[in-house]
Amino acid sequence: MIIYLHGFDSTSPGNHEKVLQLQFIDEDVRFVNYSTLHPKHDMQHLLKEVNKLVQESKDEAPIICGVGLGGYWSERIGFLCGIKQVIFNPNLHPEVNMQGRIDRPEEYEDIATKCVEKFRSKNAGRCMVILSKEDEIHDNQKTADALKDYYDVVWDETQTHKFKKLSQHLQTMKAFKES
């Protein structure tokens, strides 16, 4: 089973396309929708939904993946639910770059202080990071620098922030899922 979390743009047709692409490596892909506007509510909702999916699944190695804001949530929710994560161009600091776009961006800071201390060191090796060299939204070199001590980082030469085409990374994801 692959659990897919959308980014800030939950209505993008690209989300459906990503789900279809992910079905090439696992026919059981679950799309979990969340508001994006209320971080504390989103965290509670995502924890509940993902935990329920993991408990109901017969897959012994489910993974969670997401793009942008979905990558932010996939890393945290996957860690808390005990499953591997694949994150594409994750938004590591929504408390800074979501100002003016959501109601309470400061809630992300609160979530960070209430999350497991040094969770990345406890999650080391359980997350794969795929970053675009052509990301027009984030400086992915900074993202790589923040995550490289904990996770494998894979660079993509052509995709933009929304990462429309996953196909060139599907076999790597499948091997990571099965390892």
Side-chain angles (χ1 to χ4, degrees), residues 114-133:
K114 292 194 173 37
C115 208
V116 176
E117 200 171 322
K118 298 180 182 175
F119 86 95
R120 286 191 176 124
S121 61
K122 294 174 182 167
N123 194 42
R126 298 198 38 84
C127 182
M128 182 170 74
V129 184
I130 303 176
L131 301 174
S132 300
K133 288 190 175 178

Side-chain angles (χ1 to χ4, degrees), residues 18 22 27 31 34 38 51 92 129 133 137 158 161 176:
K18 286 181 196 76
L22 290 169
E27 61 188 37
F31 179 87
Y34 60 101
H38 307 289
N51 192 49
L92 297 185
V129 184
K133 288 190 175 178
I137 305 291
T158 61
H161 179 71
F176 177 72

Side-chain angles (χ1 to χ4, degrees), residues 92-109:
L92 297 185
H93 297 287
E95 71 279 4
V96 174
N97 54 42
M98 299 301 280
Q99 296 283 339
R101 299 178 82 188
I102 64 172
D103 289 346
R104 296 180 287 271
E106 68 280 357
E107 288 184 2
Y108 285 109
E109 288 181 58

Side-chain angles (χ1 to χ4, degrees), residues 68-80 83 85 87 89-95 108 111-112 115-129 131 142-153:
L69 189 60
Y72 170 90
W73 286 119
S74 293
E75 181 190 18
R76 281 154 183 77
I77 300 299
F79 169 73
L80 293 171
I83 62 175
Q85 315 100 50
I87 56 179
N89 295 334
N91 182 349
L92 297 185
H93 297 287
E95 71 279 4
Y108 285 109
I111 288 166
C115 208
V116 176
E117 200 171 322
K118 298 180 182 175
F119 86 95
R120 286 191 176 124
S121 61
K122 294 174 182 167
N123 194 42
R126 298 198 38 84
C127 182
M128 182 170 74
V129 184
L131 301 174
K142 288 181 181 177
T143 302
D145 292 343
L147 300 177
K148 69 182 178 188
D149 292 339
Y150 309 102
Y151 312 137
D152 287 336
V153 175

